[in-house]
Amino acid sequence: MAACPPYLAAMNYFARFSPLRGIRDLRLYLAQRRPFELGFLALSVVVTSAVVAGFAHDSHADRVYRKNIIYVEQWPASRSDAEITAQQKIDQVIAHKKQAELEKLQKERQAEFKRLDDKLKAMGI
């Protein structure tokens, strides 16, 4: 007798399952239960289904649409190197101001978290 491949053995195992036998087993199981047990079974199924449906309904969130507009400055092709370097110096001053403001905000946020961490350490957390 030759050994059958594992996937065929699994198919033979699943071939023994029948929906009709499953329904019959369920009816026999329910027939052995008292009426109040069936009521609590139905109530538990309803409550569990409501909780799962609530989580499924609440889990959907629309993404907020934000426009991503990029403005581009147009320059004449005939501008000189001196005009280009002058504009770069002006832009660099603006960029340094923005960078300094960003670093200031980051340090303020870091200080807020440091204060919170100190409070939590004082509480033993």
Side-chain angles (χ1 to χ4, degrees), residues 34-76:
R34 295 182 183 162
F36 73 90
E37 290 177 329
L38 296 178
F40 280 116
L41 172 68
L43 182 65
S44 67
V45 168
V46 168
V47 169
T48 304
S49 299
V51 168
V52 170
F55 277 116
H57 176 70
D58 193 41
S59 68
H60 177 70
D62 292 330
R63 286 182 44 185
V64 178
Y65 175 73
R66 293 190 179 109
K67 293 181 182 179
N68 187 14
I69 300 174
I70 300 173
Y71 294 98
V72 178
E73 295 183 31
Q74 291 187 355
W75 299 99

Side-chain angles (χ1 to χ4, degrees), residues 1-124:
M1 182 167 174
C4 68
Y7 63 90
L8 287 180
M11 294 301 287
N12 289 337
Y13 178 74
F14 288 119
R16 293 186 299 206
F17 291 108
S18 167
L20 295 176
R21 285 194 329 194
I23 292 171
R24 186 175 55 221
D25 286 346
L26 180 62
R27 285 182 61 202
L28 288 173
Y29 174 76
L30 295 177
Q32 296 173 358
R33 297 288 155 200
R34 295 182 183 162
F36 73 90
E37 290 177 329
L38 296 178
F40 280 116
L41 172 68
L43 182 65
S44 67
V45 168
V46 168
V47 169
T48 304
S49 299
V51 168
V52 170
F55 277 116
H57 176 70
D58 193 41
S59 68
H60 177 70
D62 292 330
R63 286 182 44 185
V64 178
Y65 175 73
R66 293 190 179 109
K67 293 181 182 179
N68 187 14
I69 300 174
I70 300 173
Y71 294 98
V72 178
E73 295 183 31
Q74 291 187 355
W75 299 99
S78 61
R79 67 186 182 140
S80 67
D81 287 340
E83 291 174 338
I84 293 172
T85 55
Q87 186 62 41
Q88 287 176 343
K89 288 179 183 178
I90 294 170
D91 291 342
Q92 188 161 7
V93 169
I94 294 171
H96 282 307
K97 285 182 183 178
K98 285 183 180 180
Q99 182 66 26
E101 181 66 26
L102 179 63
E103 288 176 2
K104 178 185 168 193
L105 291 173
Q106 287 175 342
K107 289 188 183 203
E108 288 175 3
R109 177 61 60 96
Q110 187 177 8
E112 289 175 14
F113 281 119
K114 176 72 172 137
R115 285 191 299 272
L116 177 63
D117 187 45
D118 291 341
K119 286 180 184 177
L120 290 174
K121 281 185 181 178
M123 291 172 38

